[in-house]
Amino acid sequence: MDITQISQQLDIKAPFLMIDTFSVVVKGEKAIATKSLSSNEWFFDCHLPASQVMPATLQIEGMLQTLVLLIYDTYDHGETRAFVNDIQVRMLSASTPGNTLEFSASLSPMRRGITRGEVIGSSNGKVVCKGSFSYASPKFMLQPKVEAKE
């Protein structure tokens, strides 16, 4: 997916879109997204401008956007939106201009409308952030087992 398709699928517009590309590696299980950080990013001018460090909250947003796209690719939510109800993250290193962040998301099977996902963010082979997220979908909460889309 390119940035236009990502924006439409997530219903998130620039400048809050934190991924540039997205691709499914294993249907229903794994996906990769990237974000190229240039010195022109809006947040570098207002968050620690002398250091030019990407805010941790925006890295978390990139992890979530990657995971949610994998979930939307796996399960048909229709028009119903779901929500993240548990977030556990670790920030391990700074992300700076010139870096390309790669978010690797993996997804557990959904049970009664709840699934769990893990996302690892890396740059130049070094892990910079990682997170574990629980995602709840009211549309599927009453069903005992949810089948992934074919």
Side-chain angles (χ1 to χ4, degrees):
M1 259 186 223
D2 65 22
I3 198 161
T4 302
Q5 295 164 315
I6 293 167
S7 179
Q8 289 172 344
Q9 183 72 20
L10 291 176
D11 194 24
I12 297 174
K13 308 281 185 244
F16 210 67
L17 198 55
M18 291 297 124
I19 56 176
D20 301 326
T21 66
F22 173 83
S23 60
V24 173
V25 177
V26 178
K27 180 81 172 164
E29 293 180 23
K30 185 173 177 148
I32 302 283
T34 61
K35 172 69 175 170
S36 295
L37 299 176
S38 76
S39 58
N40 297 329
E41 300 287 350
W42 64 270
F43 45 81
F44 288 137
D45 289 336
C46 53
H47 178 262
L48 303 172
S51 301
Q52 290 202 316
V53 175
M54 183 180 190
T57 54
L58 298 182
Q59 290 180 55
I60 294 167
E61 183 66 22
M63 288 190 281
L64 283 168
Q65 289 176 8
T66 304
L67 182 61
V68 168
L69 281 173
L70 177 57
I71 292 167
Y72 287 176
D73 183 75
T74 305
Y75 302 103
D76 183 8
H77 286 81
E79 295 298 315
T80 305
R81 292 291 177 182
F83 56 93
V84 176
N85 65 351
D86 183 32
I87 298 174
Q88 298 173 23
V89 295
R90 292 187 51 122
M91 307 311 291
L92 304 169
S93 184
S95 295
T96 56
N99 289 356
T100 296
L101 289 174
E102 181 178 277
F103 297 110
S104 176
S106 59
L107 187 62
S108 298
M110 187 176 284
R111 287 183 179 42
R112 297 187 187 245
I114 299 173
T115 187
R116 200 137 178 86
E118 308 287 328
V119 184
I120 296 173
S122 60
S123 180
N124 298 321
K126 180 179 178 183
V127 175
V128 296
C129 57
K130 57 184 174 178
S132 177
F133 308 90
S134 290
Y135 181 88
S137 178
K139 177 179 179 178
F140 299 122
M141 286 187 159
L142 299 176
Q143 300 176 7
K145 184 177 178 186
V146 178
E147 297 297 325
K149 298 192 286 194
E150 292 296 321

